[in-house]
Amino acid sequence: MKTVKKFAPGLVVCLAIAIPSWFLGKLFPIIGGPVIAILAGMLVALFWTPNDTFKPGVTFTSKKILQYAVILLGFGLNLSVILETGKQSLPIIICTIATSLLIAYVLHKVMHIDSNISTLIGVGSSICGGSAVAATAPVIEADDEEVAQAISVIFFFNVIAALIFPVMGRFLGFDTTSGEAFGIFAGTAVNDTSSVTATASTWDSMWNLGSQTLDKAVTVKLTRTLAIIPITLVLALIQAKKKKTEDKTGNSFSLKSVFPMFILWFIVASIITTVCISLGVEASVFSPLKDLSKFFIIMAMAAIGLGTNVVKLIKNGGKPILLGACCWAGVTGVSLVMQHLLHLW
């Protein structure tokens, strides 16, 4: 009971920001609820800083609620469907992820960009935007300002993609009688779910394709989401080795000490969904859990916004934006080249 009282005030504040952000995200899918929530949180932080009464709940939301969101994300993954329909796009997904991570690493070294921000932008640009950042941040122990910086950069290029990719697709000669080719492109070159949906739906509307493009793009996007598992495990291993190197007391560090347990539960949730659906359970049964996952991410983004120094964020934004631009351009270019080589476009 004492714990509930400790967290309640901060949780209420985050909820007060998250609820309208959720509905505004529905009205403006190209932006999405998480981005609206983090911007609203940063706006509130300009006038009010959480004190000792509110800070525990805000911190709990930005850390633990964020992890719960990732776990619940697993209930949106039917592994059998993803593995079956995702085979076609798997080479593209692997190449785009590798490209983004390589660019992030090289620019981190060359431009001396903070390692956590570089990692978050590289992972977020290559896998699935906010969800990937949510999964990665606890593993590398990123603070709220680093998460906010990464989310802001990824959002900026998401909007650009959603606006120009449908026009660019027509210019490049994508098939307008089927949504398959452009769906694969949207699913591999756009990272956040809301922007993937907006981009694919625009193409469907332009050429009266029903939901062909959207269905393909979402399936490819879900396939990319699975990359969260190996990426976070590798980062956990790197983090363990880093701590071992930095430790001055002689104590040993192991992967177990930093293993992201919430990723294990994410895998368990995915397996439960897959088994249940294979036994005849309707996929719609898991819809409330998927929606709760999305809402938790919005709550966590509100908390992160409340803990972010906007002035510092803007002041340090130049290099991360350039990094995000390079990752975005690299992912887009590799997606197009791979599709061409695989004769999908």
Side-chain angles (χ1 to χ4, degrees):
M1 193 68 178
K2 189 178 290 186
T3 303
V4 174
K5 287 183 178 179
K6 177 183 177 183
F7 293 139
L11 285 169
V12 169
V13 172
C14 293
L15 273 172
I17 297 173
I19 291 172
S21 297
W22 167 273
F23 288 107
L24 287 171
K26 296 282 188 182
L27 291 174
F28 305 101
I30 194 172
I31 300 175
V35 172
I36 293 172
I38 201 169
L39 291 175
M42 288 190 287
L43 183 63
V44 171
L46 288 173
F47 307 97
W48 175 77
T49 302
N51 56 26
D52 291 342
T53 301
F54 296 93
K55 198 167 184 179
V58 172
T59 301
F60 177 81
T61 304
S62 69
K63 305 299 182 186
K64 291 297 182 181
I65 296 292
L66 193 60
Q67 294 181 22
Y68 300 153
V70 175
I71 294 171
L72 292 173
L73 188 67
F75 288 105
L77 301 176
N78 181 350
L79 300 179
S80 58
V81 172
I82 290 171
L83 294 176
E84 181 62 33
T85 59
K87 291 176 185 176
Q88 187 183 34
S89 58
L90 191 59
I92 305 173
I93 292 171
I94 292 172
C95 289
T96 52
I97 290 174
T99 298
S100 182
L101 294 178
L102 181 61
I103 290 172
Y105 178 76
V106 170
L107 292 184
H108 154 63
K109 292 293 185 181
V110 173
M111 298 175 62
H112 307 291
I113 301 172
D114 178 83
S115 61
N116 280 355
I117 291 177
S118 299
T119 301
L120 292 174
I121 292 175
V123 171
S125 298
S126 62
I127 300 178
C128 52
S131 300
V133 171
T136 305
V139 177
I140 64 174
E141 300 177 3
D143 61 33
D144 287 352
E145 288 185 359
E146 290 167 338
V147 173
Q149 188 85 71
I151 291 289
S152 301
V153 169
I154 290 168
F155 155 71
F156 178 69
F157 292 104
N158 270 340
V159 172
I160 293 176
L163 293 174
I164 72 170
F165 277 8
V167 177
M168 189 172 80
R170 179 69 184 95
F171 177 77
L172 292 173
F174 274 92
D175 185 5
T176 59
T177 62
S178 167
E180 183 166 317
F182 190 81
I184 293 174
F185 174 58
T188 53
V190 186
N191 48 63
D192 195 72
T193 303
S194 59
S195 296
V196 169
T197 301
T199 306
S201 297
T202 299
W203 187 261
D204 279 331
S205 299
M206 286 171 65
W207 309 109
N208 298 314
L209 297 174
S211 63
Q212 287 183 40
T213 313
L214 179 60
D215 293 343
K216 190 68 178 181
V218 169
T219 301
V220 173
K221 169 67 171 58
L222 291 176
T223 306
R224 284 170 68 193
T225 302
L226 292 178
I228 286 176
I229 299 169
I231 291 294
T232 50
L233 294 181
V234 169
L235 288 172
L237 180 59
I238 293 172
Q239 191 76 357
K241 289 184 176 180
K242 181 181 176 182
K243 286 188 174 182
K244 184 176 181 179
T245 302
E246 293 174 349
D247 184 52
K248 306 299 182 184
T249 63
N251 294 329
S252 60
F253 282 87
S254 64
L255 175 61
K256 186 178 179 180
S257 67
V258 293
F259 183 82
M261 289 301 296
F262 67 96
I263 292 297
L264 176 61
W265 292 116
F266 166 79
I267 296 170
V268 170
S270 304
I271 293 172
I272 290 172
T273 303
T274 304
V275 171
C276 288
I277 291 176
S278 68
L279 294 175
V281 176
E282 292 291 330
S284 58
V285 169
F286 298 99
S287 293
L289 294 175
K290 291 191 291 182
D291 289 339
L292 184 59
S293 170
K294 295 174 184 175
F295 185 74
F296 275 1
I297 287 179
I298 291 173
M299 270 191 73
M301 291 304 115
I304 287 168
L306 288 170
T308 301
N309 184 325
V310 181
V311 175
K312 184 178 177 182
L313 191 70
I314 295 171
K315 185 179 178 181
N316 299 330
K319 288 183 178 180
I321 289 174
L322 179 58
L323 171 62
C326 293
C327 289
W328 179 69
V331 167
T332 301
V334 169
S335 176
L336 290 170
V337 170
M338 287 298 296
Q339 275 191 266
H340 188 68
L341 293 175
L342 294 171
H343 307 292
L344 299 175
W345 158 54

